[in-house]
Amino acid sequence: MFMTLKCFTTPLRKVNQKLSNIYDRNETITYINQELAKRNILQKELADILNITESSISYKLSGKRDFKLQELIIIADLFDMDLMKLIKFIEKADE
């Protein structure tokens, strides 16, 4: 049904560090939680799909930890939507 993207783990380490600076984590988490509820997907099911523990997904969905880019890609695919729609980017003011 769904494959995890383990090959992305190492190359995206630097991207993951900067990802939290370019998107609104709270809006994205709210949107993910709404979609999970709408689709009747349990946290345990999402954790299994992402190949992480239930406690990890709980921390991520409560905003205590950041999602990795590859996890957001998988979630966007699960919801059958574009990654850009899933992630709520922060618009930076002109400097």
Side-chain angles (χ1 to χ4, degrees):
M1 174 186 144
F2 211 69
M3 295 180 13
T4 56
L5 303 174
K6 293 180 183 178
C7 60
F8 284 113
T9 304
T10 304
L12 293 177
R13 186 169 287 131
K14 290 182 181 178
V15 173
N16 287 328
Q17 291 170 351
K18 295 183 181 190
L19 186 62
S20 62
N21 296 330
I22 61 170
Y23 81 105
D24 187 324
R25 179 174 55 168
N26 292 332
E27 280 192 42
T28 300
I29 289 169
T30 298
Y31 189 68
I32 291 171
N33 280 312
Q34 289 171 349
E35 287 296 313
L36 290 173
K38 184 168 83 173
R39 297 163 191 266
N40 295 317
I41 299 172
L42 302 174
Q43 283 188 13
K44 180 187 180 340
E45 294 171 321
L46 182 58
D48 290 343
I49 290 167
L50 297 176
N51 199 27
I52 60 176
T53 64
E54 287 181 65
S55 61
S56 290
I57 196 63
S58 178
Y59 278 123
K60 291 171 190 247
L61 290 173
S62 65
K64 294 177 183 172
R65 296 251 163 72
D66 287 323
F67 280 96
K68 294 179 181 175
L69 180 58
Q70 68 268 23
E71 293 167 343
L72 293 171
I73 292 169
I74 292 168
I75 292 169
D77 191 41
L78 175 67
F79 294 162
D80 195 31
M81 68 177 55
D82 187 79
L83 179 63
M84 300 305 255
K85 182 177 180 188
L86 178 67
I87 297 176
K88 307 302 181 193
F89 282 94
I90 297 171
E91 293 188 26
K92 305 238 183 215
D94 293 334
E95 296 180 8

